[in-house]
Amino acid sequence: MAKKLVIKVTAGADAPERCSQAFTVAAVAVASGVEVSLWLTGESSWFALPGRAAEFELPHAAPLPDLIESVLAGGRVTLCTQCAARRGITEADVVEGVRIAGAQVFVQESLADDTQALVY
């Protein structure tokens, strides 16, 4: 049985290398056939909004919009409920395919059998 990977990314433009690493690992895992759940929290919450990932730049890194598209195509992307509320982001605002869910869902996913959780 394939292992599942839950990735929580807390960094955004404030820590670009850490942010890019999280999205890169998620996209590579999806491409490798791993079931991936990517959680956007803290400053990465802004990437749930249309066009915001295109504003992110990091030399020698894959474009963030491409990485997000890859994860959405084969995995799941979730925006933290509290993080969304603090930023005034609603379900109507987010990129198609992104859901908003809270800590209970994160804990449930992270503690599932054959699951590895990573936090960036």
Side-chain angles (χ1 to χ4, degrees), residues 42-62:
E43 286 303 299
S44 72
S45 300
W46 296 114
F47 299 128
L49 298 175
R52 290 301 285 265
E55 297 172 8
F56 180 87
E57 292 184 13
L58 181 64
H60 310 290

Side-chain angles (χ1 to χ4, degrees), residues 3-120:
K3 197 165 182 130
K4 299 171 200 154
L5 187 58
V6 177
I7 300 173
K8 179 184 271 194
V9 55
T10 62
D14 59 324
E17 288 184 307
R18 189 163 31 110
C19 175
S20 180
Q21 288 170 0
F23 284 96
T24 299
V25 168
V28 168
V30 166
S32 300
V34 175
E35 185 179 329
V36 173
S37 179
L38 177 65
W39 283 73
L40 307 177
T41 68
E43 286 303 299
S44 72
S45 300
W46 296 114
F47 299 128
L49 298 175
R52 290 301 285 265
E55 297 172 8
F56 180 87
E57 292 184 13
L58 181 64
H60 310 290
L64 199 56
D66 294 348
L67 297 173
I68 293 172
E69 185 178 316
S70 295
V71 176
L72 282 170
R76 176 178 297 167
V77 178
T78 305
L79 172 59
C80 163
T81 301
Q82 290 180 9
C83 299
R86 280 191 283 275
R87 290 161 178 80
I89 300 171
T90 68
E91 295 264 351
D93 300 320
V94 300
V95 171
E96 185 176 341
V98 173
R99 69 175 177 165
I100 297 177
Q104 178 184 2
V105 177
F106 176 78
V107 170
Q108 183 180 35
E109 287 184 6
S110 298
L111 295 178
D113 290 340
D114 297 317
T115 301
Q116 173 70 50
L118 303 173
V119 178
Y120 286 88

